[in-house]
Amino acid sequence: MSKRTATELQSASTSDAHERRKAPRSSGAHAEKTQEDEMGEFEDGWEDEYDSDEEVVDSAAKEDEDGMDVDDEVMPPIEETEDHPSAPNTFIPGVHKLEKDEILEPDDSVYIMRHSMNVDWPCLSFDVLRDNLGDFRQKLPATAYIVTGTQADVAKNNSVSVYKMSSLHKTQREDDSDSDNDDDDEDALDEDPILEHRSIPHLGGVNRIRAQPMPASQPLPPVSRPYYVASWSETGKVHIWDVRPLIEALDVPGYTPDKKRTHTPAFTIDSHGRAEGFAMDWASSGESNPTALRLLTGDIQSKIYLTTTTPSGFNALSQPFTSHTSSVEDLQWSPTEATVFASCSADQSVQIWDVRSKGRKSVAGIQSAHESDVNVISWNRSTSYLLLSGGDEGGIKVWDLRNVKKRGSSEPDPTPVAAFNWHKAPITSIEWHPTEDSIFAASGADDQITLWDLAVEQDDEETGAMNETPEGGQDVPPQLLFVHQGQKDVKELHWHPQIPGTVISTALDGFNVFKTISV
């Protein structure tokens, strides 16, 4: 087991410089610029010296006895300037631009919790694992478990790892007052998170990894029962692993997992041949039969395969679903209909399928959902007719599936109920909030993570300064709640289903865990 303290990147400070801040509005970063003081620093020779009246008189008398001149005139008071340091200003991508010598630093006043953690190798994908610590957790420090796969330098150095992120404390703010309660409140401790992991070897880089769904009302299964995750390997194989012993090893000192159980896949899907892929999604029959699992996998050669479970184990069905004409990028099971799923593709379409349909063809779809590749989709679990999609052009669209045309229909494609073009690079991940049906999060190759609320409407009386868009900038949609920055090349994000409002993201430079004041 590897255990270490995960440190955050800190902004560099300058000693002989004044800070100049730019730009006010609500996001997770603001701009800082250093500027030399042309007047130099004022040095107070009497700084931090406090004498009583008697000491001053005695000192003056002593100097007079020594023959030194004493100036009887009182020094005029130094006039206090009315100029105050400017407040930190919010940097909004697309609205403001960084000038020379300016850097971004996080504005911790808009975060309840914000942590950065570095890992040995970049991870393209991860998933949040269910734990036994309870649902709807609000108390900090928090603990989270995730499973992830690496993108190492050579194929044999890759692994599937279960991480335990603990000591996720409340973020300290500069304006926090030292109240009496803070002394006894462990939420207020300013400590780095602790990152522990257990790993199993994995041949080839992991393109995507997903954990089997667990019923929200049930605890984590005992260590004697499996907890499956599936990994999409760059070798073209999909491996199914039992990671339950790895979680036990992180929680129980001295517990040693059986390598025969953990280091050998419980099942390997060879249906895709040598074609690698990225699309994958699990589904279960819910509380009635949580062990009845279904796994969809899609590859770059436009094929989708279904794998199911039987009393004797996993069964990979041989006949693929084949309506796409290019790489399958993402898959999502319907949250309400056990036989229905959605897919998106580099052929610019979103397709709806029913596994019972003959010929393994889609039953409905949006042929031109985006102007380019459709990279990601997310099916709303609370309002089951809403589907999110994110495109290679940076666009985000919300679809009402009740308007989607059936296959073979001559009717035109439906119009999205909402569309946003905030991101200026491909959308890399998108996900509805697990319980709030109007809120979602998205990430892009422009190094932004954005939080949105479709229920927000424009209020002209409260927009304030945002009515004035700088020249060359873009208007800020009222539905855009928050912009989180600081990571490089963000690949994937997930809401934590048991810690409301908490987002975890992976990027080239590691993981972020944060919770904002906005959600």
Side-chain angles (χ1 to χ4, degrees):
M1 177 170 67
S2 173
K3 180 174 180 178
R4 63 180 184 279
T5 299
T7 58
E8 297 184 40
L9 295 176
Q10 298 180 343
S11 302
S13 61
T14 56
S15 56
D16 298 324
H18 290 292
E19 292 183 353
R20 188 168 73 84
R21 316 267 187 180
K22 289 184 78 91
R25 203 41 222 216
S26 138
S27 99
H30 58 74
E32 175 184 291
K33 183 174 181 178
T34 59
Q35 178 180 349
E36 292 188 3
D37 187 352
E38 297 177 357
M39 299 297 295
E41 292 190 358
F42 174 77
E43 185 174 345
D44 187 354
W46 293 274
E47 184 178 11
D48 296 334
E49 293 184 8
Y50 302 91
D51 297 324
S52 66
D53 292 340
E54 290 79 9
E55 289 174 334
V56 173
V57 172
D58 292 344
S59 177
K62 184 177 181 180
E63 290 180 0
D64 187 54
E65 292 174 359
D66 292 341
M68 298 182 63
D69 294 335
V70 178
D71 190 354
D72 294 333
E73 297 183 3
V74 179
M75 292 182 62
I78 300 174
E79 294 184 2
E80 294 185 1
T81 176
E82 295 183 358
D83 295 335
H84 298 286
S86 57
N89 294 320
T90 302
F91 177 86
I92 304 176
V95 175
H96 308 112
K97 292 184 179 180
L98 281 180
E99 297 180 2
K100 186 179 179 181
D101 298 330
E102 284 187 324
I103 60 172
L104 290 179
E105 62 177 22
D107 179 5
D108 284 333
S109 68
V110 296
Y111 289 96
I112 296 174
M113 173 179 67
R114 181 184 63 81
H115 296 285
S116 300
M117 284 157 276
N118 298 322
V119 290
D120 295 333
W121 296 107
C123 302
L124 283 180
S125 181
F126 75 99
D127 206 0
V128 180
L129 296 174
R130 182 160 183 83
D131 57 51
N132 285 329
L133 301 178
D135 294 327
F136 306 105
R137 306 200 295 266
Q138 299 287 351
K139 186 175 176 58
L140 296 176
T143 297
Y145 297 79
I146 65 170
V147 62
T148 187
T150 63
Q151 290 283 322
D153 53 350
V154 293
K156 64 181 181 65
N157 289 340
N158 284 288
S159 63
V160 168
S161 299
V162 172
Y163 281 95
K164 180 181 181 180
M165 303 172 173
S166 58
S167 296
L168 299 174
H169 286 274
K170 176 182 177 182
T171 295
Q172 298 299 290
R173 308 176 187 176
E174 294 180 359
D175 59 349
D176 280 352
S177 59
D178 295 331
S179 63
D180 294 336
N181 294 333
D182 286 348
D183 295 337
D184 300 326
D185 186 5
E186 64 177 351
D187 293 10
L189 294 176
D190 190 7
E191 296 181 358
D192 290 332
I194 297 173
L195 193 63
E196 306 166 81
H197 76 274
R198 289 279 185 160
S199 300
I200 52 179
H202 186 280
L203 182 62
V206 178
N207 293 345
R208 190 156 293 178
I209 194 164
R210 291 290 182 265
Q212 73 170 86
M214 288 284 183
S217 59
Q218 295 185 8
L220 190 69
V223 70
S224 59
R225 288 178 52 193
Y227 188 178
Y228 291 121
V229 302
S231 62
W232 234 130
S233 174
E234 63 183 359
T235 62
K237 297 183 183 298
V238 177
H239 302 294
I240 298 175
W241 310 86
D242 180 6
V243 299
R244 183 60 184 87
L246 302 183
I247 300 173
E248 192 75 4
L250 289 169
D251 288 342
V252 179
Y255 178 85
T256 302
D258 181 1
K259 288 188 176 181
K260 292 182 179 180
R261 179 179 173 186
T262 58
H263 286 51
T264 302
F267 189 76
T268 295
I269 302 170
D270 296 315
S271 308
H272 299 274
R274 298 197 175 195
E276 65 176 319
F278 297 87
M280 181 161 57
D281 195 36
W282 286 95
S284 74
S285 298
E287 297 181 12
S288 59
N289 189 8
T291 60
L293 302 172
R294 309 184 303 278
L295 176 65
L296 287 168
T297 52
D299 61 38
I300 61 174
Q301 293 184 352
S302 75
K303 293 181 175 61
I304 301 170
Y305 287 91
L306 173 63
T307 300
T308 61
T309 55
T310 65
S312 60
F314 290 93
N315 177 35
L317 305 184
S318 59
Q319 186 179 1
F321 299 89
T322 57
S323 285
H324 284 298
T325 59
S326 188
S327 173
V328 180
E329 299 297 301
D330 203 2
L331 290 160
Q332 285 273 283
W333 282 103
S334 166
T336 56
E337 299 179 77
T339 61
V340 177
F341 69 91
S343 64
C344 66
S345 168
D347 63 13
Q348 305 181 11
S349 75
V350 172
Q351 301 292 339
I352 308 297
W353 312 72
D354 192 320
V355 298
R356 300 168 298 181
S357 63
K358 296 180 179 180
R360 300 280 175 156
K361 297 292 184 181
S362 63
V363 296
I366 308 167
Q367 298 308 312
S368 299
H370 284 260
E371 301 169 4
S372 59
D373 302 7
V374 187
N375 295 333
V376 286
I377 53 175
S378 180
W379 206 317
N380 195 310
R381 299 191 176 278
S382 301
T383 306
S384 59
Y385 57 81
L386 291 180
L387 185 80
L388 276 169
S389 65
D392 217 44
E393 81 287 355
I396 296 172
K397 296 184 180 182
V398 185
W399 303 96
D400 186 335
L401 296 179
R402 297 172 297 183
N403 300 328
V404 174
K405 63 181 182 179
K406 294 183 178 180
R407 183 174 180 82
S409 172
S410 60
E411 296 179 5
D413 283 333
T415 301
V417 296
F420 306 102
N421 295 304
W422 176 262
H423 287 270
K424 300 306 177 186
I427 302 299
T428 57
S429 185
I430 201 163
E431 188 171 280
W432 288 105
H433 190 285
T435 57
E436 301 289 340
D437 64 353
S438 64
I439 296 176
F440 68 88
S443 66
D446 54 1
D447 301 336
Q448 294 186 63
I449 293 175
T450 51
L451 307 184
W452 303 78
D453 188 351
L454 299 178
V456 176
E457 297 181 357
Q458 182 76 39
D459 189 338
D460 294 335
E461 294 182 358
E462 296 182 1
T463 53
M466 289 317 296
N467 287 329
E468 302 176 4
T469 302
E471 184 178 354
Q474 66 179 124
D475 293 331
V476 179
Q479 295 82 10
L480 178 56
L481 297 180
F482 197 89
V483 177
H484 174 79
Q485 299 176 89
Q487 286 183 285
K488 183 179 180 182
D489 200 8
V490 185
K491 291 299 184 183
E492 197 167 278
L493 62 79
H494 294 293
W495 298 93
H496 196 297
Q498 295 176 265
I499 311 176
T502 298
V503 176
I504 306 176
S505 58
T506 183
L508 185 64
D509 50 2
F511 290 95
N512 273 195
V513 183
F514 65 92
K515 182 177 182 179
T516 77
I517 61 175
S518 301
V519 178

